[in-house]
């Protein structure tokens, strides 16, 4: 396939279903390599518990890269948020993301700002929340640039957050932050729910599209829902996207079957 293929896996147990926790690491990496994957996107709640040297050796052994580090479990499992009304929680969220930046620098990976941005909470209006988010992103983008790391802001559907749901909203934030190493992560599952046209959203993102998550309309592996991936991939070609396709899918009917279906779909999409 013209884009390298990765799978989102969680280093730690999590309640987030679309990032299955790694149970048998070596067996999993060997299976992914045999299926044709080129990388593993690591979802990490706390970088402090990640054995970097061990993982680096294993990824090198199996010829796998780490294109991105997911951070949303810090919100899902701990409630850390960049827009929380409690300044201590905001400070902890920022510190956690700084640790994610250090981890990402080990592999030249991107850091994803998704669920950890939080959502509007009691006593916080949208203007204040966005001000906190912009301030945090500017700080993180500056630190990331010093490490040679890119940040990506992921639009999410309205059931998961009410802050930044579309590519256009993400681009407005990116323009206000003003750092060239801050871009968009487009997730086909979320975009299908929020965008009038998924293809138009890709066109709008253009060269600020740094990363793509693939999942079908039901968040299952591509080909097991109703999205028109031929049209989606055509739109990616038209903006000269040169990044990864990273599968963030629910493990249905099992993790192994979902992994295999993603790989079959990718082979079928050979240009």
């Amino acid at each position: 396939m013209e884009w390298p293929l990765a799978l989102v896996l969680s280093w730690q147990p999590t309640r987030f279903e679309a990032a299955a926790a790694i149970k048998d690491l070596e067996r999993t990496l060997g299976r992914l390599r045999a299926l044709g994957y080129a990388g593993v996107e690591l979802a990490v709640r706390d970088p402090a518990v990640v054995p970097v040297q061990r993982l680096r050796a294993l990824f090198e052994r199996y010829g796998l890269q780490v294109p991105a580090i997911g951070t949303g479990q810090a919100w899902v499992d701990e409630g850390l948020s960049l827009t929380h009304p409690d300044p201590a929680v905001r400070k902890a969220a920022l510190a956690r993301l700084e640790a994610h930046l250090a981890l990402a620098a080990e592999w030249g990976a991107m850091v994803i700002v998704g669920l950890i941005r939080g959502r509007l909470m009691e006593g916080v209006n949208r203007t204040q929340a966005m001000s906190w988010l912009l301030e945090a992103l500017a700080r993180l983008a500056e630190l990331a640039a010093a490490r040679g790391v890119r940040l990506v802001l992921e639009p999410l559907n309205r059931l998961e957050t009410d802050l930044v749901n579309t590519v256009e909203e993400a681009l407005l934030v990116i323009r206000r932050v003003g750092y060239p190493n801050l871009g968009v992560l487009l997730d086909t599952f979320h975009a299908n729910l929020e965008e009038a046209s998924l293809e138009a959203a890709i066109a709008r993102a253009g060269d600020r599209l740094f990363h793509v998550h693939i999942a079908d309309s039901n968040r299952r592996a591509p080909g097991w829902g109703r999205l028109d991936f031929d049209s989606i991939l055509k739109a990616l070609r038209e903006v000269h996207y040169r990044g990864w396709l990273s599968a963030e899918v629910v493990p249905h009917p099992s993790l192994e079957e979902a992994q295999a279906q993603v790989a079959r779909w990718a082979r079928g999409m050979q240009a």
Side-chain angles (χ1 to χ4, degrees):
M1 194 171 187
E2 58 205 281
W3 301 282
L5 183 66
L7 184 79
V8 177
L9 290 174
S10 174
W11 177 247
Q12 295 146 299
T14 179
R15 290 180 290 159
F16 182 55
E17 190 183 12
I22 300 171
K23 293 181 180 178
D24 185 336
L25 180 58
E26 289 207 49
R27 180 175 176 273
T28 298
L29 297 183
R31 175 179 171 79
L32 292 179
R33 188 61 188 172
L35 286 169
Y37 287 85
V40 172
E41 180 181 312
L42 281 178
V44 177
R45 178 181 59 79
D46 185 356
V49 304
V50 176
V52 174
Q53 300 305 322
R54 178 187 169 215
L55 284 184
R56 180 184 288 113
L58 284 172
F59 288 138
E60 288 177 357
R61 181 186 306 169
Y62 289 99
L64 295 166
Q65 299 178 53
V66 180
I69 303 291
T71 63
Q73 292 170 17
W75 161 257
V76 173
D77 298 320
E78 295 184 56
L80 298 186
S81 161
L82 296 174
T83 58
H84 197 282
D86 184 343
V89 175
R90 297 197 303 275
K91 183 177 179 180
L94 186 61
R96 183 66 59 83
L97 283 167
E98 290 176 9
H100 282 105
L101 290 178
L103 179 63
E106 296 283 347
W107 285 292
M110 289 173 276
V111 171
I112 299 167
V113 180
L115 288 167
I116 198 169
R117 67 176 169 271
R119 58 182 304 130
L120 290 178
M121 301 180 75
E122 185 176 355
V124 179
N125 61 39
R126 182 171 299 276
T127 299
Q128 179 63 80
M130 291 305 297
S131 176
W132 285 331
L133 179 59
L134 289 164
E135 181 181 358
L137 288 174
R139 171 63 176 162
L140 291 166
E142 180 181 19
L143 292 172
R147 292 182 176 273
V149 170
R150 292 193 295 173
L151 283 174
V152 283
L153 180 61
E154 180 180 15
L156 300 168
N157 76 76
R158 72 196 75 179
L159 300 177
E160 299 190 26
T161 185
D162 42 15
L163 297 171
V164 189
N165 302 117
T166 67
V167 164
E168 184 57 41
E169 290 168 358
L171 290 171
L172 286 172
V173 169
I174 288 165
R175 284 194 285 269
R176 291 182 67 183
V177 172
Y179 280 81
N181 63 325
L182 177 61
V184 174
L185 187 169
L186 184 137
D187 183 303
T188 58
F189 168 75
H190 294 293
N192 176 60
L193 295 174
E194 294 295 336
E195 303 286 355
S197 163
L198 205 153
E199 294 81 4
I202 291 170
R204 192 171 295 117
D207 62 4
R208 299 314 289 263
L209 182 60
F210 287 1
H211 196 47
V212 172
H213 277 172
I214 52 168
D216 220 315
S217 55
N218 47 14
R219 212 167 200 168
R220 296 182 184 178
W224 284 353
R226 56 177 175 77
L227 288 185
D228 182 354
F229 278 101
D230 285 327
S231 181
I232 292 167
L233 298 185
K234 180 175 182 288
L236 291 176
R237 293 184 189 102
E238 288 174 350
V239 297
H240 306 291
Y241 178 67
R242 293 293 180 267
W244 288 73
L245 297 184
S246 193
E248 187 179 62
V249 300
V250 294
H252 178 89
S254 70
L255 178 58
E256 290 76 16
E257 289 174 273
Q259 292 169 353
Q261 170 58 18
V262 172
R264 282 193 298 270
W265 167 84
R267 288 193 296 272
M269 287 291 175
Q270 290 278 0

